[in-house]
């Protein structure tokens, strides 16, 4: 389960940088960088190539989390 922890989703989008690196994406998702890389390679998490750098949009991170929300029974 990937969570944004104590960070509210609205604050994730409103922060100044639109794109984040793998380390920041991992921090926002509450997982390690390798997990973010695996999700990217599996096509679960969209990304942007900027030369050799890989970046993730904050909106994509929120979309990813929201797509995995479940309702308790």
């Amino acid at each position: 389960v990937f969570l944004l922890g104590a960070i509210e989703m609205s604050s994730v989008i409103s922060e100044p940088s639109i794109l984040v690196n793998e380390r920041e994406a991992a921090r926002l998702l509450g997982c390690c960088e390798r997990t973010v890389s695996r999700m990217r390679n599996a096509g679960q998490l969209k990304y942007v190539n900027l030369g050799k750098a890989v970046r993730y949009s904050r909106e994509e991170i929120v979309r990813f989390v929201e797509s995995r929300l479940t309702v308790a029974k």
Side-chain angles (χ1 to χ4, degrees):
V1 175
F2 302 100
L3 301 173
L4 290 175
I7 301 171
E8 291 183 28
M9 283 192 213
S10 60
S11 69
V12 170
I13 294 176
S14 66
E15 288 187 31
S17 177
I18 295 171
L19 298 176
V20 297
N21 62 20
E22 207 148 83
R23 176 178 289 158
E24 181 67 6
R27 184 187 72 78
L28 292 169
L29 291 167
C31 63
C32 69
E33 293 175 48
R34 182 71 183 135
T35 301
V36 173
S37 177
R38 287 183 186 131
M39 290 187 297
R40 180 186 75 233
N41 292 334
Q44 297 174 326
L45 194 58
K46 295 178 186 175
Y47 63 98
V48 176
N49 277 330
L50 298 173
K52 293 183 179 182
V54 174
R55 297 292 183 262
Y56 304 87
S57 74
R58 291 178 180 276
E59 287 182 357
E60 172 61 12
I61 293 169
V62 170
R63 182 211 59 81
F64 177 81
V65 171
E66 286 178 344
S67 73
R68 281 151 177 78
L69 291 176
T70 57
V71 178
K73 294 182 180 181

